[in-house]
Amino acid sequence: MPIDILMPALSPTMEEGKLAKWLKAEGDAIKAGDILAEIETDKATMEVEAVDEGILAKILVADGTENVAVNTPIGVIAADGEDVKAAASGGAKPAAVAEKPAEPEAKAEKASAEAPAATTAPSVPAQAKSYDASSEFPAGAEVVTMTVREALRDAMAEEMRRDGDVFVMGEEVAEYQGAYKVTQGLLQEFGPKRVIDTPITEHGFAGIGVGAALTGLRPIVEFMTFNFAMQAIDQIINSAAKTLYMSGGQMGCPIVFRGPNGAAARVAAQHSHDYAAWYSNVPGLKVVMPYSASDAKGLLKSAIRDPNPIIFLENEILYGRTFEVPKGDDFLIPIGKAKVVRPGTDVTIVSFGIGMTYALGAAEALAKEGIEAEVIDLRTIRPMDIETVIASVQKTNRCVAVEEGFPQSGVTAEIGMRIMEAAFDYLDAPVARVTGKDVPMPYAHNLEKLALPNVGEVIAAAKAVCYRA
């Protein structure tokens, strides 16, 4: 009995494709596993593999034929011992299939209406809704230009004036005005009982901060670098993050752990680690990593008011960058909401913290080449506003995720997986990642530069998912 070769589907949503070329001719012997032909869609190219043995008796659809529907017979195989001519004449009739008139529209509609509801469930997720960050700046508010460092200081000062339970502690936060001058002026305004210099013992003063939070105070614990917070990780994870759950909701821990995170400039491996992925793995913590001064201020104020332990990751390189910030003591940004920083239609670029410098730089360069990238700043890593990302991917059908952290188990790995789970059918290309290299941070300037992501890598990734050279 003749065996029909059917047009295969590249994906569950594929309906038709192009038969690019035949790799076998009529009369050729066929073995299981032989490549018979190549088919194409706008997303991919795939080889048609034989699953039966025999002779290719007839080619029903010629090379270069477009819009071939899935499951259309494209060829006929004569089984071993079968007459090839008989098989060729007895196989499927492609012309009849291709030219068969469609069912009347009314009849099709009736069949659809009578079908059970379960069969009409969509195979793709409903349209996600993007968070609108435009309302975060108060209407008509006066804006000032300030550095990220100044925005963080103002956030702490305003919250300390607002709530007497808020205090700051850490190494060099008082007399020295902060290792990076983020706490400059706070000692003079609030005194040594609320701006407290600590010994070089992260495990000790982090534990004091957690204990104070469990009794109802609102400490802000500064780490000179989050690399040193590894000394205090037991207090952060086992005490701060888990106590609310383990106490049955009876003991909250309203504390903010803040300080510079990730690479700076030639401070080597022990001072350059990015801990965003580490802390975002822990239930009970919220993890915030702002880029701009306005986000740094609004998110830090929200973090200080939040009843949960917050990991607030800053970046030493960004401290001196200037941005516009609205005036006012009640400027808050909600934790857990991403921000579309630059709208676009061709590819989504997602990042956070200093990774935004690469994302925005790449978007500007891509625009000059006719590729409009939509840039999303996550701002909060946990809880992650994946809905805003999905809404963008549903529009652009492509995504590049960017971070300075390592690729293994990184934040971008989480982003990619969440997109695959929620928006796979919208993707026209695999999600691409641009990350720091999988190596401890070198000290030498030239090697450090090679270990970090760069704008060129983001541009190359965006072009790759857009299938542009």
Side-chain angles (χ1 to χ4, degrees):
M1 183 176 179
I3 302 165
D4 289 340
I5 306 168
L6 303 180
M7 182 71 170
L10 293 180
S11 72
T13 58
M14 176 179 163
E15 296 180 354
E16 59 184 26
K18 175 183 177 181
L19 200 157
K21 62 180 178 179
W22 282 95
L23 301 177
K24 294 286 186 179
E26 290 183 358
D28 286 355
I30 305 297
K31 295 180 182 179
D34 284 353
I35 305 303
L36 301 178
E38 289 183 355
I39 63 172
E40 295 177 355
T41 70
D42 60 339
K43 300 179 181 179
T45 300
M46 177 179 158
E47 297 171 332
V48 180
E49 185 175 307
V51 294
D52 299 288
E53 297 188 353
I55 303 296
L56 182 56
K58 190 173 182 63
I59 291 175
L60 302 175
V61 178
D63 288 358
T65 303
E66 298 189 2
N67 304 319
V68 182
V70 169
N71 291 329
T72 298
I74 59 175
V76 179
I77 294 177
D80 285 341
E82 187 176 5
D83 184 79
V84 173
K85 289 185 178 180
S89 61
K93 303 295 188 292
V97 173
E99 295 172 8
K100 182 180 178 182
E103 293 290 332
E105 190 172 331
K107 182 178 178 180
E109 288 177 357
K110 181 180 178 182
S112 176
E114 292 174 353
T119 65
T120 61
S123 60
V124 294
Q127 183 66 40
K129 185 176 181 180
S130 178
Y131 172 71
D132 182 7
S134 61
S135 60
E136 292 175 350
F137 270 51
E142 182 182 354
V143 297
V144 294
T145 300
M146 65 173 60
T147 64
V148 172
R149 175 186 291 109
E150 293 167 336
L152 292 167
R153 180 203 61 206
D154 285 1
M156 288 187 285
E158 289 170 10
E159 292 305 302
M160 291 175 76
R161 295 182 196 117
R162 173 181 174 274
D163 186 346
D165 289 337
V166 178
F167 68 97
V168 180
M169 63 190 304
E171 296 158 357
E172 299 184 348
V173 299
E175 296 291 344
Y176 190 66
Q177 307 288 306
Y180 303 99
K181 306 306 177 191
V182 176
T183 55
Q184 191 167 28
L186 297 185
L187 174 65
Q188 286 69 29
E189 180 173 353
F190 300 102
K193 288 187 176 181
R194 296 183 67 194
V195 185
I196 304 166
D197 274 331
T198 65
I200 305 174
T201 170
E202 283 77 14
H203 181 77
F205 68 74
I208 291 172
V210 171
L214 292 173
T215 65
L217 298 178
R218 292 184 173 270
I220 304 168
V221 175
E222 177 182 304
F223 295 117
M224 193 178 292
T225 162
F226 260 91
N227 294 270
F228 300 160
M230 291 178 69
Q231 303 290 332
I233 203 161
D234 179 63
Q235 302 285 10
I236 297 170
I237 305 300
N238 281 328
S239 297
K242 298 177 181 178
T243 298
L244 180 66
Y245 181 83
M246 296 180 70
S247 67
Q250 298 179 75
M251 297 179 67
C253 189
I255 186 171
V256 176
F257 299 100
R258 52 154 295 270
N261 166 73
R266 297 188 67 194
V267 291
Q270 293 174 327
H271 295 73
S272 301
H273 202 105
D274 184 343
Y275 291 93
W278 280 40
Y279 290 113
S280 69
N281 177 255
V282 181
L285 292 178
K286 294 183 179 181
V287 182
V288 179
M289 194 165 173
Y291 163 65
S292 69
S294 59
D295 288 346
K297 181 179 182 181
L299 285 166
L300 182 54
K301 287 169 68 69
S302 294
I304 295 168
R305 298 184 190 189
D306 197 284
N308 300 285
I310 310 285
I311 303 295
F312 200 91
L313 303 172
E314 302 157 10
N315 186 275
E316 185 180 338
I317 301 297
L318 292 178
Y319 278 148
R321 301 275 180 92
T322 57
F323 300 85
E324 288 187 342
V325 180
K327 276 188 173 182
D329 291 349
D330 272 332
F331 174 61
L332 300 171
I333 290 177
I335 293 171
K337 295 296 182 182
K339 179 181 182 180
V340 178
V341 178
R342 179 188 178 116
T345 55
D346 298 324
V347 59
T348 300
I349 303 178
V350 187
S351 193
F352 51 92
I354 197 168
M356 288 295 296
T357 60
Y358 312 122
L360 290 170
E364 291 179 11
L366 289 165
K368 296 176 183 177
E369 300 186 42
I371 300 174
E372 291 298 331
E374 180 151 290
V375 181
I376 296 177
D377 183 357
L378 282 181
R379 304 193 293 187
T380 302
I381 313 303
R382 183 184 183 107
M384 185 181 292
D385 182 10
I386 199 66
E387 187 173 10
T388 294
V389 177
I390 295 301
S392 179
V393 170
Q394 287 177 333
K395 176 175 63 175
T396 67
N397 309 117
R398 297 167 172 84
C399 184
V400 176
V402 184
E403 68 173 315
E404 278 199 349
F406 299 127
Q408 172 80 33
S409 306
V411 176
T412 50
E414 176 71 13
I415 294 168
M417 191 65 224
R418 300 277 283 275
I419 292 171
M420 293 291 284
E421 290 174 338
F424 176 79
D425 287 321
Y426 286 93
L427 290 173
D428 284 346
V431 177
R433 291 194 292 160
V434 177
T435 70
K437 308 308 180 290
D438 200 17
V439 61
M441 184 62 68
Y443 172 73
H445 175 67
N446 59 328
L447 297 179
E448 180 184 60
K449 188 175 180 180
L450 292 172
L452 291 169
N454 58 62
V455 170
E457 291 175 342
V458 181
I459 292 172
K463 286 184 175 180
V465 299
C466 291
Y467 304 112
R468 294 275 294 269

